[in-house]
Amino acid sequence: MKKKSSKPEICAPTKKLCLENRVGLFLYARPVVASRPRVTRWGTYYSATYKNYMALLDEAIPAHTAPFTGNVHVDVEFVCHRPKTTKRINPLGDIDNYCKAIFDAITKKGYWADDDLIVDLQASKRFVESGETPHTSIWIEPYELEAD
């Protein structure tokens, strides 16, 4: 029996779109849920799958030279691999844990100083459809608060 690899792979190059004041990222890799760290007296450890996914995101996400400085709106969709057998209609894993991995990687690449600038978030997850590959699409744009 072949051992399942814990190393995520990029299916296609990442695409970055900049439209006026919006930035779009399309990451063609299988989304991974952020794992809880294991804390021991010798240190803090993350699962191999999560560490490999973060390394992949570090390579795949291009640096951003004009970081967002104010409040932002983020729209993110996770399109996940469908297991051979499942009774579920949606992927397993909390949506906020999918977001955590992506937001940590985007913060590291300089898209914003900290992900606490996100004041409006639209997030969804689903299985791939026929002919589609697993990916994550992200749109980031300034968020203007309406005055009363």
Side-chain angles (χ1 to χ4, degrees), residues 2 5 14 24-25 89-90 114 116 127 132:
K2 186 177 177 185
S5 172
T14 298
L25 291 169
I89 58 171
N90 292 313
D114 192 55
D116 70 350
F127 286 126
E132 195 175 27

Side-chain angles (χ1 to χ4, degrees), residues 19-144:
L19 307 170
E20 292 183 24
N21 56 358
R22 292 181 77 192
V23 174
L25 291 169
F26 302 91
L27 307 168
Y28 293 95
R30 188 182 286 191
V32 173
V33 177
S35 65
R36 290 194 179 272
R38 288 186 311 151
V39 180
T40 69
R41 61 181 166 182
W42 297 283
T44 303
Y45 303 96
Y46 290 91
S47 71
T49 303
Y50 181 65
K51 286 195 314 192
N52 291 335
Y53 183 61
M54 291 305 289
L56 178 135
L57 291 178
D58 190 45
E59 288 179 28
I61 296 176
H64 192 64
T65 55
F68 290 93
T69 55
N71 295 334
V72 295
H73 163 78
V74 178
D75 191 350
V76 60
E77 180 184 37
F78 300 96
V79 181
C80 303
H81 174 74
R82 181 184 297 276
K84 289 182 182 178
T85 59
T86 184
K87 295 177 183 177
R88 300 182 58 89
I89 58 171
N90 292 313
L92 190 63
D94 296 347
I95 192 80
D96 60 316
N97 289 332
Y98 279 101
C99 291
K100 181 180 175 7
I102 292 293
F103 292 165
D104 287 348
I106 289 174
T107 300
K108 187 176 177 183
K109 288 296 188 164
Y111 284 74
W112 47 58
D114 192 55
D115 56 9
D116 70 350
L117 293 175
I118 301 169
V119 295
D120 189 42
L121 172 65
Q122 172 66 44
S124 62
K125 63 180 180 172
R126 65 179 176 83
F127 286 126
V128 294
E129 295 176 5
S130 180
E132 195 175 27
T133 58
H135 66 277
T136 303
S137 63
I138 306 147
W139 284 99
I140 307 166
E141 62 188 334
Y143 183 78
E144 301 297 327

